[in-house]
Amino acid sequence: MPASDGAGPRAHLTFRQPDDWHVHLRDDAMLAFAASYTARQFARAIVMPNLVPPVTTVAAAEAYRERILAVLPEDCAFTPLMTAYLTDEIDPGEVEAGFRKGVFTACKLYPAGATTNSAAGVTDVRKIWPVLERMQTIGMPLLVHGEVVSPDIDVFDREAVFLETVLGPVLRDFPALKVVLEHITTEDSIRFVEAAGPTLAATITAHHLRIDRNAMFEGGLRPHAYCLPVAKRRHHREALRKAATSGHPRFFLGTDSAPHRKHEKESACGCAGIFSAPTALESYAQTFAEEGALDRLEAFASEFGPRFYGLPLNEGTVTLRREPQDLPEVMGDGDLRIVPFHAGETLSWRFAGRSGLP
Ligand code: DOR
Ligand code: ZN
């Protein structure tokens, strides 16, 4: 558990090695850059499959896993956990084969058109009923981007409407299917998860704990605060902070760190996504400290996720030191200039390393 330095504020925190239960590592030139930050802080990560083309086969996931491992140092002790991208046509046999082979850890449901590279996603959840049936039978988790895509539904209401119209029926028809509602942004989702049985959990990002929708309009249009699901009103953010720090075992860490090049965010049609991987743990620690809940960070970051997935807890530890850390305005160079979450800010914590590495 976190070390204390006596009566004063803790000078450092050492806790069980955490995992990131939702991250975008990208491919090609971006991959080494993104993966290095995630592998630095986390032992495992659930890697999103929304590449171009998406990861829909066992062979594609194996090849992607190899590409991830190839850009990391051999001794980095990081395990990418791969996911299958669900399409209207995906074969339940392929999904099951990948799960049994230990290649796929879970399947990801993107409603078609909901977000970055989701065009090949599911157009009507009924079309994947046979896949969900199979996943329920074999105990394979379903990870959900929980937003409807209808242009008639206000962008700030899309998550709440999804709960009623899509997630409710899925849970009703597949009562034993494990489901993770990813990157929740609303009080509605918190209440929905709390009211559900033990098969439904949710991930909470570092950024949704810190920004509300005003962040996108502070003195002008702020593309680096734009992600999907979009940040909501202040009271939703406050509810997320309470849920994440509550010690409820079905809320756990998933950064949704999603790098996009600076110029692709600062554009007439800017990409959705916030790159939080470089200081993910520091950001969560800052929020937990502000909520007076540092003693609950370890469970949120390192215990609830693996327990829900049925995976072993990690053995090593990480340490964060309480010391000011200035973040740059931009990271990377050449064609890979990326504005990180907290750019230009000073954080109160600094990642000091992992123990238990070979
Ligand atoms: O903000 C987001 N960015 N939300 C998503 O769902 C996808 C992600 C990305 O891939 O850029
Ligand atoms: Zn995501």
Side-chain angles (χ1 to χ4, degrees):
M1 278 311 293
S4 162
D5 58 351
R10 288 160 175 158
H12 69 276
L13 279 169
T14 293
F15 58 98
R16 185 186 292 279
Q17 175 69 57
D19 305 300
D20 185 349
W21 297 98
H22 182 131
V23 73
H24 299 266
L25 298 183
R26 310 300 193 208
D27 213 346
D28 304 318
M30 185 90 90
L31 174 58
F33 180 79
S36 68
Y37 291 106
T38 295
R40 180 171 165 258
Q41 297 202 336
F42 297 101
R44 296 170 289 198
I46 287 276
V47 180
M48 287 298 121
N50 61 334
L51 306 181
V52 186
V55 179
T56 54
T57 64
V58 184
E62 283 178 307
Y64 185 29
R65 184 167 65 182
E66 286 312 309
R67 294 198 296 282
I68 295 167
L69 292 172
V71 297
L72 294 169
E74 256 174 43
D75 62 355
C76 79
F78 172 72
T79 305
L81 303 174
M82 311 311 289
T83 54
Y85 181 114
L86 294 176
T87 64
D88 288 352
E89 295 80 33
I90 198 162
D91 172 10
E94 183 75 9
V95 165
E96 176 169 1
F99 185 65
R100 295 213 183 275
K101 210 174 165 190
V103 177
F104 291 142
T105 297
C107 287
K108 178 67 190 273
L109 166 60
Y110 285 108
T115 187
T116 310
N117 300 337
S118 64
V122 174
T123 58
D124 177 351
V125 74
R126 290 260 159 204
K127 295 198 169 155
I128 58 162
W129 241 231
V131 186
L132 300 184
E133 184 83 56
R134 186 74 66 95
M135 291 168 66
Q136 174 174 255
T137 304
I138 63 178
M140 183 179 192
L142 172 71
L143 316 182
V144 174
H145 183 107
E147 288 191 290
V148 292
V149 294
S150 163
D152 298 337
I153 308 289
D154 189 279
V155 68
F156 293 99
D157 296 335
R158 289 181 184 176
E159 184 173 293
V161 172
F162 182 91
L163 301 174
E164 245 174 75
T165 59
V166 183
L167 190 54
V170 167
L171 297 180
R172 188 189 60 226
D173 285 10
F174 302 100
L177 179 66
K178 269 192 209 178
V179 180
V180 184
L181 184 55
E182 302 287 357
H183 41 54
I184 57 170
T185 61
T186 59
E187 194 166 5
D188 313 59
S189 290
I190 294 165
R191 302 295 160 244
F192 193 93
V193 170
E194 286 171 345
T199 58
L200 180 66
T203 52
I204 303 182
T205 74
H207 50 275
H208 287 115
L209 293 172
R210 304 201 66 81
I211 60 171
D212 59 42
R213 64 190 197 172
N214 292 309
M216 288 180 290
F217 308 105
E218 241 170 56
L221 205 51
R222 302 283 184 173
H224 299 292
Y226 174 57
C227 62
L228 287 170
V230 70
K232 307 297 191 297
R233 286 180 183 275
R234 173 74 52 102
H235 78 87
H236 291 293
R237 189 195 71 176
E238 296 311 313
L240 289 168
R241 290 169 74 102
K242 293 283 171 273
T245 58
S246 67
H248 189 301
R250 287 185 288 111
F251 296 113
F252 50 81
L253 186 156
T255 63
D256 197 17
S257 177
H260 289 279
R261 288 169 173 80
K262 183 172 185 287
H263 69 88
E264 284 166 349
K265 300 238 354 134
E266 297 171 5
S267 135
C269 187
C271 299
I274 293 182
F275 181 47
S276 59
T279 54
L281 289 178
E282 292 95 319
S283 185
Y284 282 111
Q286 188 132 339
T287 298
F288 275 68
E290 287 162 4
E291 294 293 321
L294 274 179
D295 55 340
R296 296 194 173 152
L297 178 59
E298 179 176 49
F300 175 81
S302 317
E303 295 173 3
F304 296 155
R307 290 217 174 100
F308 185 80
Y309 273 83
L311 294 170
L313 304 193
N314 297 315
E315 289 299 334
T317 60
V318 287
T319 297
L320 303 181
R321 265 200 309 273
R322 189 192 284 275
E323 79 182 33
Q325 176 181 188
D326 296 329
L327 263 83
E329 295 288 352
V330 180
M331 301 179 81
D333 49 32
D335 177 46
L336 264 185
R337 287 165 53 78
I338 294 164
V339 176
F341 186 42
H342 294 296
E345 293 175 29
T346 301
L347 290 169
S348 316
W349 297 89
R350 182 185 290 277
F351 180 75
R354 293 167 64 163
S355 78
L357 289 178

